[in-house]
Amino acid sequence: MSSPAERYSAARHRAAEAKTELGAFRRRYDFDLDPFQLQACAALEAGRSVLVAAPTGAGKTVVGEFAVHLALATGGKCFYTTPIKALSNQKYTDLVRRHGADAIGLLTGDNSINGEAPVVVMTTEVLRNMLYAGSSTLRGLGHVVMDEVHYLSDRFRGAVWEECIIHLPESVQLTALSATVSNAEEFGDWLQEVRGETDVVVEEQRPVPLWQHVLVGNRLHDLFVDAAQRKVNPDLVKLAREERGRGWERGGNRRGRGGHGRGGPPRGPRRFRPPSRMHVVERLDRDGLLPAIYFIFSRAGCDAAVVSCLYGGLRLNTQEEAAEVRALAEERCADIPEEDLTVLGFGEWLEGLTRGVAAHHAGMLPTFKEVTEELFARGLIKAVFATETLALGVNMPARSVVLEQLTKWNGETHADITPGEYTQLTGRAGRRGIDVEGHGVVLYAPQVDPEALGGLASTRTYPLRSSFRPSYNMAVNLVGQVGRDRTRGMLEESFAQFQADRAVVGLAKKVAKNEEALRGYHDAMRCELGDFTEYAQLRRSLSDVEARQAKHNAARKRAEAAKSVEKLRRGDVIVVPSGRRAGLAVVLDAGTSAGPDDPKPLVLTEQRQVKRLALADFPVPVEPLGQVRIPKNFNGRSPQERRDLVATLRAKGFDGNQARRDASRQSGADDEAPEIERLRRELRHHPCHECPDREHHARWAERYFRLRKETEGVRRRVEGRTNLIARTFDRICTVLDQLGYLDGDQVTDDGQRLAKLYTEMDLLTAECLRHGQWDSLRPAELASCVSTLVFESRQSDDASRPRLPGGQVKDVLAAMVKLWGELEELEGENGVSFQREPNLGFCWATYRWANGARLDTVLDEGDMAPGDFVRWTKQVIDLLGQIADVTRDEHPDLHRTAKAAIDAVRRGVVAYSSVG
């Protein structure tokens, strides 16, 4: 029990706090703030910036809301920035509910509502564009909240966060909200340098404990028996070992054995079958673990999961809940044309919602996703099947999170999810103020190793790495405002350079340490007969030339072997020179049907085995020894037919041993270059060659040269990191000088136009405008051509030929691609690469839509999901709007065409958007 003095002190403290803005803010909540929230809010009220790093669901947005409170209380402005439009929409709705519609605005590119309000929610790109344009809206700005600031690691969009942090006026207090990262202090140190006084507040404790499970069959097993020490459940390890012992192959197949079982058909591989998605949801429901987010990492998989639940008769909502769901969904979709609702599968989507299940992925119509989010937040949807996009900031906490697998497509390959991704996904489990604990559930599969999963779930090292790099638009904006020299200094303040410089310190220490060791090695290899360094260099040169010669010979032999294998025909008798399949064989099929570049002949070996060979089985060229006749209907699965053909092979008297000896001699043959002979001669005549301690010296020399090579590599890394950002900026400026967008510290008229183009393809867009590529196009044609500058196919290796509009569009697209090629060449000469090739995959869909085609026609012809179509079309509208702005005065005809193009594509589902 506290003493009278302690009670008196606490009372005075409460009385003093009650008079502060923090005290007034606390009274608006019906729960007590956590210590980390109080610490961060106190720093803001004291006039300092703050970085808050805390787990998902810990309540760090309360600190952002306090920044909003401070701005309103002091008559200033606050910008609340988020990485994605969906999160901006959601935050806008939350703040309107708390402060009223008059006090809150929204700017996302899609929506502009009350933009001059004292508090404006916006995407980070909107703030960046305001800063470069010197927008009057910035006047009176006192606070900026950067929600999900760890996005600055994003390699595509992360640079925007750093641009904003660097260029915000000094008077602005920054509230940076981040997921838990292991280098929060380093990031805070950088903020301290560029923003002034900044407190770093780190909270590692989840407000709702998270329990990890593995679902094996129909049983939930705890992943850890000791959550504190992260000790993996030994029963689960044993169970997984037993499952692997049953012969399940990675990917779900079990190795089967040949032959017949008691007169039955041959047993082939058996497939591992995890429980169905509906049964998993039902199991969670029985255990009281709903609502749940079920991550599948596949759009088609998410949609299929909902369909399977519908056909399976799953119902998670009561009749009253279903009626409430139907009313809200129909109200939110009332403005979408009836014919479009049919195309979008509204009936099936609504049926899923009323039963309490839904999908959530980027291919869905934005309105459908927003309705799903709202219903889930209200507890009217019990299971959402989602891709990982749901983990990106949208506030949809659940009692449980299910991970169907631990790999996902990253755009290039199926890769294991990282510890950071695992934590981000499972962090959705456990609703603060509702659940006493959250649950993460991983579905068992043969490739799931409980020990590895335990490491994935317990790893806490997620460093924040900068992805910042200058751009053409950034360069002309900053040079125009502050000149080239000051811009270089500003860019060297980036977090990217800050991290590079810190790394240089450690690398430089390593160089110094290595150089000291090199001096010792040099002394140890000293020889009285001559310069052993020179002798050792000769030995290394000889070794390098011999290795190159061997590599060249091997490559030549591989090429010759590949050509020889391509010439094989059915019935050829060959010798497989080495390996498990060495010996005589007869070719059953040349194996060139899949392509002549990688023939894989099917052969019958002397041991009566039918095997598919690869080029690796032929280290040297193969020459047929002769031919045998193979019956037309030969069945390689018949033991009798295999025996008969091998008997024919042996009866012919082919000498496989002699052929193998010839191949061996061929394999060992090498052409020795004159260079090798010269080096050997110099080596024999060097004074150190006769030294009795030669090999002892040589061992020290080997260490010396190995360490010297390593040190040179480290030194190159130091040079590469020093002034990294500034050097890239200089190269960008050189490109802009050569193209006439910059003239020293002066921004030309063309540069002024480039400064207003905020797109990844900024320079190519500016070049198309300058060269008049679009001057004679009609609105639909312009929209089609502009789409190539924003669209990116989901399949990076999509080689299909896209359908293109006729007429002059094809000529303009060809000219645009030619222009891109010239830019790529110029960039290559200057050591940069920023402009990708125009992507033609959205041209036809944009053209057809702009010409009034129906939604179902456009989606069918473009083989595109509704959400993708709407998202890319809105990006086309955004760039058309920029083109309209920069051509208003100089090119009124193109300005009118761009405005007409916007009107043509902003219709139907594209025009309809909501913020709730």
Side-chain angles (χ1 to χ4, degrees):
M1 185 174 177
S2 57
S3 66
E6 289 171 332
R7 290 196 296 274
Y8 175 72
S9 176
R12 287 192 62 186
H13 177 75
R14 285 194 298 272
E17 187 195 72
K19 299 175 183 178
T20 65
E21 289 302 335
L22 178 54
F25 179 72
R26 290 180 71 175
R27 289 193 292 274
R28 302 185 68 170
Y29 287 87
D30 55 5
F31 58 85
D32 288 336
L33 300 191
D34 290 339
F36 86 91
Q37 294 169 326
L38 292 171
Q39 180 186 352
C41 291
L44 286 175
E45 189 164 11
R48 299 189 293 276
S49 293
V50 66
L51 166 66
V52 181
T56 300
K60 51 184 175 286
T61 55
V62 167
V63 183
E65 289 170 5
F66 181 63
V68 171
H69 172 90
L70 279 177
L72 292 173
T74 57
K77 277 187 180 181
C78 176
F79 289 169
Y80 197 113
T81 72
T82 75
I84 54 177
K85 294 174 184 176
L87 189 53
S88 291
N89 293 340
Q90 190 176 75
K91 200 68 212 177
Y92 169 78
T93 304
D94 292 344
L95 292 175
V96 166
R97 193 179 298 122
R98 182 172 292 274
H99 299 286
D102 291 342
I104 311 298
L106 176 70
L107 296 173
T108 64
D110 289 345
N111 292 298
S112 178
I113 302 172
N114 199 16
E116 295 300 323
V119 176
V120 183
V121 183
M122 61 185 67
T123 52
T124 320
E125 280 86 354
V126 171
L127 174 57
R128 186 270 313 271
N129 299 351
M130 280 187 183
L131 290 168
Y132 284 161
S135 170
S136 60
T137 307
L138 294 166
R139 278 199 293 269
L141 182 63
H143 291 267
V144 166
V145 180
M146 288 194 161
D147 206 349
E148 310 279 351
V149 75
H150 53 273
Y151 260 72
L152 66 79
S153 287
D154 184 89
R155 65 191 181 102
F156 297 111
R157 298 171 55 221
V160 177
W161 274 257
E162 290 187 51
E163 292 177 63
C164 293
I165 291 170
I166 293 170
H167 302 313
L168 277 172
E170 291 182 13
S171 58
V172 174
Q173 281 181 258
L174 181 67
T175 304
L177 309 177
S178 170
T180 307
V181 292
S182 57
N183 61 334
E185 288 77 11
E186 179 189 41
F187 186 47
D189 288 346
W190 174 68
L191 291 175
Q192 181 90 16
E193 284 199 6
V194 296
R195 301 299 318 159
E197 277 195 282
T198 303
D199 284 12
V200 178
V201 179
V202 177
E203 173 60 41
E204 296 183 345
Q205 191 68 35
R206 280 178 52 92
V208 179
L210 178 65
W211 295 93
Q212 308 273 1
H213 312 279
V214 178
L215 182 64
V216 185
N218 201 34
R219 279 194 62 194
L220 270 179
H221 298 261
D222 290 338
L223 175 59
F224 299 113
V225 290
D226 186 333
Q229 297 185 8
R230 299 285 171 170
K231 183 179 179 183
V232 176
N233 186 346
D235 292 338
L236 184 59
V237 174
K238 180 182 177 183
L239 180 63
R241 192 180 299 120
E242 290 171 352
E243 287 290 325
R244 285 195 295 272
R246 295 179 184 178
W248 300 112
E249 290 182 338
R250 183 175 180 86
N253 288 335
R254 195 176 84 171
R255 293 185 294 275
R257 297 181 180 177
H260 296 264
R262 301 195 174 184
R267 292 187 316 183
R270 291 182 57 192
R271 180 171 294 279
F272 173 83
R273 295 191 182 278
S276 73
R277 291 156 178 165
M278 189 182 82
H279 287 142
V280 172
V281 173
E282 287 179 326
R283 172 59 204 260
L284 295 176
D285 190 25
R286 287 198 303 272
D287 289 352
L289 298 181
L290 295 182
I293 299 173
Y294 195 125
F295 286 110
I296 295 180
F297 304 141
S298 159
R299 296 179 178 187
C302 293
D303 293 335
V306 174
V307 171
S308 68
C309 289
L310 294 182
Y311 281 109
L314 182 67
R315 292 183 185 275
L316 301 173
N317 276 345
T318 65
Q319 288 186 350
E320 292 77 11
E321 289 173 327
E324 188 178 349
V325 166
R326 184 177 296 277
L328 186 143
E330 290 177 345
E331 176 193 344
R332 293 285 189 271
C333 299
D335 293 338
I336 301 178
E338 188 70 33
E339 64 179 32
D340 288 350
L341 286 177
T342 303
V343 175
L344 296 167
F346 176 79
E348 190 173 78
W349 173 70
L350 182 58
E351 178 64 20
L353 295 184
T354 59
R355 295 194 190 188
V357 294
H360 189 288
H361 56 74
M364 294 172 60
L365 190 72
T367 304
F368 284 13
K369 285 196 297 179
E370 291 165 11
V371 170
T372 298
E373 292 160 12
E374 183 173 352
L375 290 173
F376 193 85
R378 291 190 184 189
L380 295 173
I381 290 180
K382 310 302 193 300
V384 171
F385 299 97
T387 58
E388 74 274 15
T389 53
L390 185 56
L392 303 180
V394 179
N395 183 27
M396 283 180 62
R399 182 165 295 161
S400 303
V401 163
V402 179
L403 300 186
E404 186 168 84
Q405 55 188 7
L406 298 177
T407 60
K408 70 182 184 71
W409 181 254
N410 63 9
E412 298 176 355
T413 184
H414 283 94
D416 294 337
I417 65 173
T418 65
E421 289 169 333
Y422 184 90
T423 297
Q424 183 86 358
L425 295 166
T426 57
R428 293 286 176 185
R431 298 165 298 176
R432 184 170 187 165
I434 302 175
D435 301 314
V436 295
E437 57 191 27
H439 299 268
V441 180
V442 173
L443 299 194
Y444 176 79
Q447 60 267 39
V448 172
D449 177 0
E451 296 281 5
L453 176 59
L456 186 69
S458 59
T459 300
R460 288 292 177 266
T461 303
Y462 318 121
L464 191 61
R465 297 290 178 221
S466 172
S467 60
F468 178 84
R469 65 176 187 172
S471 68
Y472 296 111
N473 170 275
M474 182 194 304
V476 292
N477 270 295
L478 293 180
V479 170
Q481 290 177 22
V482 299
R484 196 171 293 199
D485 288 342
R486 190 174 166 200
T487 297
R488 290 179 95 258
M490 292 172 70
L491 295 180
E492 287 185 325
E493 294 178 0
S494 67
F495 188 43
Q497 190 60 56
F498 183 82
Q499 289 189 310
D501 290 343
R502 285 201 163 188
V504 163
V505 174
L507 292 172
K509 287 182 179 178
K510 188 171 185 180
V511 168
K513 184 179 178 181
N514 286 0
E515 286 177 340
E516 184 179 349
L518 284 170
R519 287 191 289 272
Y521 290 169
H522 190 272
D523 291 342
M525 69 177 180
R526 186 174 287 116
C527 178
E528 296 178 357
L529 299 182
D531 185 350
F532 201 88
T533 304
E534 181 183 74
Y535 178 74
Q537 187 61 61
L538 280 172
R539 286 176 62 142
R540 288 181 64 83
S541 297
L542 176 60
S543 177
D544 290 344
V545 173
E546 288 176 337
R548 283 199 304 271
Q549 182 67 41
K551 188 175 181 180
H552 171 75
N553 288 344
R556 188 188 70 234
K557 286 169 188 167
R558 282 196 300 272
E560 291 173 353
K563 283 185 180 180
S564 69
V565 173
E566 289 173 18
K567 296 176 181 178
L568 293 178
R569 296 294 178 264
R570 179 178 168 89
D572 282 347
V573 179
I574 63 173
V575 170
V576 182
S578 60
R580 290 181 295 132
R581 296 157 187 163
L584 284 173
V586 58
V587 177
L588 302 178
D589 176 65
T592 57
S593 58
D597 295 336
D598 187 20
K600 294 179 179 178
L602 184 72
V603 303
L604 174 66
T605 69
E606 280 183 291
Q607 293 74 34
R608 301 197 295 273
Q609 294 179 320
V610 175
K611 296 289 183 183
R612 180 74 68 181
L613 302 180
L615 288 179
D617 292 304
F618 299 97
V620 295
V622 57
E623 290 290 336
L625 303 180
Q627 271 262 337
V628 296
R629 192 183 71 80
I630 301 175
K632 185 175 181 181
N633 297 319
F634 176 79
N635 182 4
R637 295 183 179 179
S638 167
Q640 183 59 50
E641 293 191 34
R642 292 200 304 269
R643 277 197 296 269
D644 291 345
L645 186 55
V646 170
T648 303
L649 181 66
R650 289 172 176 163
K652 292 278 189 178
F654 294 111
D655 188 352
N657 290 329
Q658 181 60 45
R660 274 195 297 275
R661 286 192 293 271
D662 293 343
S664 178
R665 282 196 296 272
Q666 184 181 8
S667 177
D670 263 344
D671 294 329
E672 292 188 359
E675 178 69 3
I676 294 176
E677 279 300 317
R678 182 186 68 77
L679 288 170
R680 286 178 176 172
R681 191 165 52 251
E682 288 187 26
L683 204 62
R684 288 193 298 270
H685 289 90
H686 195 283
C688 293
H689 194 65
E690 304 300 327
C691 178
D693 296 324
R694 182 183 67 195
E695 295 309 312
H696 174 73
H697 297 327
R699 282 192 291 274
W700 283 106
E702 185 61 34
R703 295 176 190 172
Y704 174 85
F705 284 112
R706 191 184 305 125
L707 185 60
R708 190 174 77 173
K709 183 178 180 180
E710 177 191 320
T711 305
E712 288 170 353
V714 176
R715 191 176 283 112
R716 282 194 298 273
R717 288 168 64 191
V718 170
E719 293 169 357
R721 289 171 183 250
T722 304
N723 300 320
L724 175 68
I725 305 300
R727 281 188 283 116
T728 303
F729 169 72
D730 289 340
R731 292 168 182 169
I732 285 173
C733 287
T734 301
V735 172
L736 294 173
D737 282 333
Q738 292 174 346
L739 290 173
Y741 289 94
L742 287 178
D743 182 8
D745 273 1
Q746 299 300 311
V747 179
T748 65
D749 290 343
D750 290 330
Q752 296 290 352
R753 187 185 304 121
L754 173 59
K756 299 173 184 175
L757 296 172
Y758 301 101
T759 170
E760 181 189 0
M761 303 286 280
D762 48 9
L763 186 58
L764 182 54
T765 305
E767 283 289 277
C768 288
L769 287 168
R770 185 165 72 165
H771 288 269
Q773 302 282 16
W774 304 324
D775 289 356
S776 60
L777 294 176
R778 294 190 295 272
E781 294 172 332
L782 177 62
S784 179
C785 291
V786 166
S787 76
T788 67
L789 303 176
V790 299
F791 179 73
E792 293 184 64
S793 173
R794 292 182 67 217
Q795 287 78 33
S796 57
D797 59 346
D798 188 1
S800 60
R801 273 189 81 159
R803 187 175 180 181
L804 299 177
Q808 60 180 334
V809 172
K810 284 188 178 180
D811 295 334
V812 173
L813 291 175
M816 289 173 65
V817 172
K818 181 174 182 292
L819 199 53
W820 164 77
E822 294 169 357
L823 287 181
E824 185 187 41
E825 185 176 347
L826 180 60
E827 285 187 323
E829 292 170 359
N830 288 281
V832 294
S833 178
F834 292 106
Q835 304 294 286
R836 61 165 175 79
E837 184 176 1
N839 191 313
L840 311 183
F842 197 48
C843 286
W844 180 250
T846 306
Y847 180 77
R848 293 280 283 145
W849 182 251
N851 273 319
R854 288 165 51 98
L855 179 64
D856 56 346
T857 303
V858 174
L859 295 181
D860 286 344
E861 291 178 349
D863 189 23
M864 183 168 287
D868 291 332
F869 172 73
V870 170
R871 185 172 69 257
W872 290 120
T873 303
K874 287 190 173 183
Q875 291 194 33
V876 172
I877 291 172
D878 181 63
L879 185 51
L880 283 170
Q882 294 181 44
I883 292 168
D885 288 343
V886 300
T887 56
R888 180 180 288 108
D889 298 326
E890 297 178 13
H891 302 286
D893 289 343
L894 182 55
H895 167 77
R896 284 190 291 271
T897 303
K899 298 291 283 185
I902 292 172
D903 292 338
V905 294
R906 186 187 279 150
R907 64 181 181 86
V909 293
V910 176
Y912 178 78
S913 65
S914 63
V915 297

